[in-house]
Amino acid sequence: MAAAIKLAVIDDHPLFREGVVRTLEQIGGFEIVAQGSSRDDALRISEDQQLDILLMDISVPGGGLSAIEPALERHPDLKIVMLTVSEENQHVMTALQSGARGYVLKGVGSRTLAAILRTVAMGERYVCPQLSARVLVDLSTQSTATAKADVLAELTSREREILTLVAAGLSNKRIGLQLNLHEKTIKHHMTRILAKLNVSNRTEAAMTLRDATEHQHPPARHPA
């Protein structure tokens, strides 16, 4: 008979937490060794207990996401699964990039949750299907923007300066006047810029600059 999976549950809603604990104990195959309600509880429990899985909500006091890396630094073999209501792509990616092995939404059924935890205990990763496709698209977009930023790094400071003015809508003649350079020199620089960025015209070059800049400095989110 397989050994029970040793689990700790971290959630700041006692009724929900106790319901998860009771359900997993009834299903069987799990040993709930500890419960907690905050980031500090998660770190203390992961330090004091021999755990297979830490099942944790994102929105606990102190932040569940911020507990992932320090817990794994101390115990690299610990498997962390986030159980949350948040469907935000950034939360999913932050959790996975920090080292979490699973991301599960709280609407999941009890037996499905048990199956997911068994899968994670065996070394697999899990992201609920309705989020996984969106996350893959986001990761692909980020990868493309990063590649564009890397290409921009190949530009000289003068080429970057000229490209910035092109993106602002200035003509070669206007750029030459502003930088005190001949228009012919600006055309020469533009030829090199287009070649380095692997684009065919000024508009595509300007869009490459814009996309890379937005990746490096994403717009701030204002509270509703």
Side-chain angles (χ1 to χ4, degrees), residues 144-153 155 160 163-164 166-167 193-194 196-216:
T144 300
T146 300
K148 290 179 178 178
D150 291 341
V151 171
L152 285 179
L155 300 182
R160 182 68 177 261
L163 180 56
T164 300
V166 167
I193 290 169
L194 296 180
K196 287 183 178 181
L197 299 183
N198 194 29
V199 295
S200 58
N201 56 56
R202 298 162 68 91
T203 301
E204 290 180 1
M207 290 177 63
T208 298
L209 175 64
R210 182 203 64 193
D211 292 346
T213 302
E214 286 180 354
H215 173 69
Q216 293 169 345

Side-chain angles (χ1 to χ4, degrees), residues 89 92 96 126-139:
N89 288 13
V92 184
L96 298 179
Y126 179 88
V127 177
C128 58
Q130 58 263 53
L131 298 180
S132 58
R134 283 164 37 191
V135 170
L136 286 174
V137 170
D138 264 19
L139 289 174

Side-chain angles (χ1 to χ4, degrees), residues 58-199:
I58 280 178
S59 61
V60 295
L65 291 174
S66 67
I68 299 173
E69 289 187 356
L72 293 176
E73 283 176 5
R74 301 173 191 174
H75 302 284
D77 293 335
L78 177 64
K79 297 174 178 66
I80 298 178
V81 176
M82 311 310 292
L83 180 60
T84 177
V85 298
S86 175
E87 298 186 29
E88 288 192 30
N89 288 13
Q90 190 57 53
H91 286 165
V92 184
M93 289 191 291
T94 298
L96 298 179
Q97 290 167 353
S98 297
R101 305 288 295 188
Y103 196 99
V104 186
L105 294 179
K106 282 188 173 180
V108 69
S110 57
R111 293 199 174 276
T112 300
L113 176 61
I116 291 167
L117 294 174
R118 292 190 192 101
T119 298
V120 171
M122 291 187 292
E124 300 295 325
R125 295 180 183 272
Y126 179 88
V127 177
C128 58
Q130 58 263 53
L131 298 180
S132 58
R134 283 164 37 191
V135 170
L136 286 174
V137 170
D138 264 19
L139 289 174
S140 176
T141 302
Q142 283 192 1
S143 178
T144 300
T146 300
K148 290 179 178 178
D150 291 341
V151 171
L152 285 179
E154 297 182 10
L155 300 182
T156 65
S157 58
R158 176 63 84 185
E159 289 167 349
R160 182 68 177 261
E161 184 179 25
I162 291 171
L163 180 56
T164 300
L165 294 174
V166 167
L170 274 66
S171 65
N172 286 348
K173 184 175 182 179
R174 289 278 304 280
I175 294 171
L177 290 172
Q178 183 160 329
L179 300 180
N180 196 26
L181 295 172
H182 292 296
E183 184 177 357
K184 185 176 180 179
T185 303
I186 301 301
K187 289 180 179 178
H188 173 71
H189 279 301
M190 278 307 304
T191 299
R192 290 177 57 82
I193 290 169
L194 296 180
K196 287 183 178 181
L197 299 183
N198 194 29
V199 295

